[in-house]
């Protein structure tokens, strides 16, 4: 996918597309609704086109993207199912949604009027999903104003009213009152549509945590993101039985060297050897998406053991401390995210070390890390 993939690197993101398809099948079996598979952000780092094609083959109804570029790459790869451009956008993007038949959100009168005008000029239809703001405070029309906006859709001959949807802000939290408040708001929007005698084909509200936890919020399509990749959104989450992570970020040791006592390592000399120590290099740096963090935060697996990354992470490489009793040779496989032997570094472990969420960890494995499909 990326232009770098043809070159050998001693770090790569290993992706099991079979497991991806299994995950989708399991979700479909449980939810019994249509499934929109979210492949934005390079399929959460797992490779947009491969995952998009695999999801289509597994019976996804639609794919969710965040940019026109993502949609265009999928179309070039001959993905046939509808694509939904989620998230807010500038009006200057609308023309390409319409030209390329990409479904998109609308929530203001101005957007609908523009969509209608542009579609007319292009001799096309604009496929819109009405986004309702049930509490997120981001894109969306308030439930109270749905009627006003839908009147405009009704009057717009070049606009297909394809869907109505909203997004949860706290579906992953223990406290569930706010989820039910959002469902109530969504229901209010739906009954307005009902009163107007309009039912768009796609009614969708649930993201990953919601589709796992709130059966009543599945409507006729769910939008499954993070869990499709077998990743949790939070510790102690139970995925449906059989779902598993499908990506392992790996590298190889490219250097093993013994440093004398009291020898500095890396920029700013934040690490000094206490005694004679073996230091390994892996070709993974912050430009690959591996954050620079203080000593002790970053760990990787080497020959089944969790070892410390020491010194500052450089742009293209970092150093690890090889324990005295661990056999390690140049070429040995290192796991940055995933399992090795009986140990497992979860994306959530890395997220904790970096002070972020795990989505940010895999979505930011950079383009120059080859994706290898097994
Ligand atoms: C990203 C996104 C999702 C997927 O969220 P997950 O938590 O990864 O399932 C669903 N809906 C919208 C609108 C999104 O932007």
């Amino acid at each position: 996918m990326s232009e770098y993939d043809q070159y050998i690197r001693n770090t790569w993101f290993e992706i099991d597309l079979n497991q991806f398809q299994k995950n989708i099948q399991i979700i479909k079996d449980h939810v019994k609704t249509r499934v929109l598979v979210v492949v934005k952000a390079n399929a959460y780092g797992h490779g947009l086109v491969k995952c998009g094609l695999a999801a289509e083959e597994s019976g996804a109804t639609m794919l969710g993207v965040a940019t026109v570029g993502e949609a265009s790459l999928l179309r070039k790869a001959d993905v046939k199912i509808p694509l939904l451009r989620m998230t807010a956008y500038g009006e200057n993007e609308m023309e390409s949604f319409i030209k390329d038949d990409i479904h998109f959100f609308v929530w203001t009168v101005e957007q609908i009027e523009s969509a209608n005008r542009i579609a007319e000029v292009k001799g096309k239809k604009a496929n819109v999903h009405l986004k309702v703001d049930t509490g997120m405070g981001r894109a969306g029309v308030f439930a109270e104003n749905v009627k006003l906006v839908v009147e405009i859709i009704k009057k717009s001959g070049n606009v297909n009213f394809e869907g109505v949807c909203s997004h949860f802000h706290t579906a992953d939290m223990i406290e569930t009152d706010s989820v039910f408040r959002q469902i109530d708001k969504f229901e209010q929007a739906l009954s307005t549509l009902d009163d107007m005698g309009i039912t768009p084909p796609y009614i969708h509200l649930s993201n990953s945590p919601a589709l796992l936890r709130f059966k009543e919020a599945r409507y006729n399509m769910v939008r499954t993101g993070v869990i499709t990749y077998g990743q949790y959104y939070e510790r102690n989450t139970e995925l449906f039985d059989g779902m598993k992570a499908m990506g392992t970020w790996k590298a190889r040791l490219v250097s093993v060297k013994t440093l004398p006592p009291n020898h500095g390592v890396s920029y700013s000399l934040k690490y000094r050897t206490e005694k004679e120590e073996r230091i390994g290099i892996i070709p993974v740096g912050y430009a690959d998406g591996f954050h620079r963090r203080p000593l002790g935060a970053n760990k990787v697996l080497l020959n089944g053991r969790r070892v410390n990354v020491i010194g500052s992470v450089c742009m293209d490489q970092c150093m690890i401390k090889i324990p005295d009793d661990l056999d390690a040779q140049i070429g040995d496989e290192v796991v940055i995210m995933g399992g090795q032997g009986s140990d497992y570094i979860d994306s959530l472990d890395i997220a904790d070390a970096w002070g972020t969420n795990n989505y940010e960890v895999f979505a930011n494995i950079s383009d120059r890390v080859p994706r290898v499909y097994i």
Side-chain angles (χ1 to χ4, degrees), residues 38 40 44 86 105 138 167 207-209 223-226 359:
V38 183
K40 65 190 178 191
Y44 291 56
M86 306 184 301
F105 292 163
R138 204 166 62 176
H167 193 51
N207 55 1
S208 293
R223 301 187 304 267
T224 178
V226 74
Y359 293 51

Side-chain angles (χ1 to χ4, degrees), residues 92-117:
N92 54 353
E93 295 172 76
M94 214 184 254
E95 188 172 320
S96 42
F97 304 157
I98 294 168
K99 182 167 67 61
D100 297 335
D101 296 318
I102 303 166
H103 291 217
F104 58 102
F105 292 163
V106 291
W107 61 95
T108 70
V109 170
E110 292 74 19
Q111 288 168 331
I112 298 157
E113 287 173 347
S114 300
N116 193 46
R117 197 176 54 244

Side-chain angles (χ1 to χ4, degrees), residues 22 33 120 131 323 347 355 358 362:
K22 239 184 245 173
T33 65
E120 173 151 32
K131 181 80 185 276
S347 59
N358 58 333
F362 32 82

Side-chain angles (χ1 to χ4, degrees), residues 238-349:
E238 297 251 357
L239 301 184
F240 296 129
D241 239 15
M243 293 178 71
K244 276 212 298 268
M246 55 176 279
T248 307
W249 188 1
K250 293 183 173 177
R252 274 191 210 98
L253 262 186
V254 292
S255 163
V256 177
K257 188 165 81 179
T258 302
L259 293 182
N262 197 31
H263 196 291
V265 176
S266 196
Y267 294 115
S268 327
L269 298 181
K270 287 186 177 147
Y271 184 83
R272 276 191 176 280
T273 54
E274 281 171 21
K275 48 188 177 56
E276 209 170 70
E277 288 176 24
R278 271 182 312 156
I279 304 301
I281 303 177
I282 54 172
V284 178
Y286 57 79
D288 297 303
F290 194 62
H291 290 199
R292 202 173 227 233
R293 282 294 176 272
L295 177 65
N298 285 326
K299 294 178 195 295
V300 297
L301 299 176
L302 170 63
N303 297 332
R305 282 264 283 280
R306 213 172 262 237
V307 303
N308 275 321
V309 174
I310 53 165
S312 300
V313 171
C314 307
M315 185 183 281
D316 316 296
Q317 50 195 327
C318 65
M319 277 61 84
I320 61 178
K321 178 173 167 171
I322 302 170
D324 292 340
D325 61 341
L326 186 68
D327 182 41
Q329 316 283 339
I330 287 176
D332 283 356
E333 201 167 278
V334 171
V335 167
I336 296 143
M337 183 181 85
Q340 189 189 61
S342 59
D343 203 355
Y344 195 94
I345 295 182
D346 204 287
S347 59
L348 286 160
D349 298 336

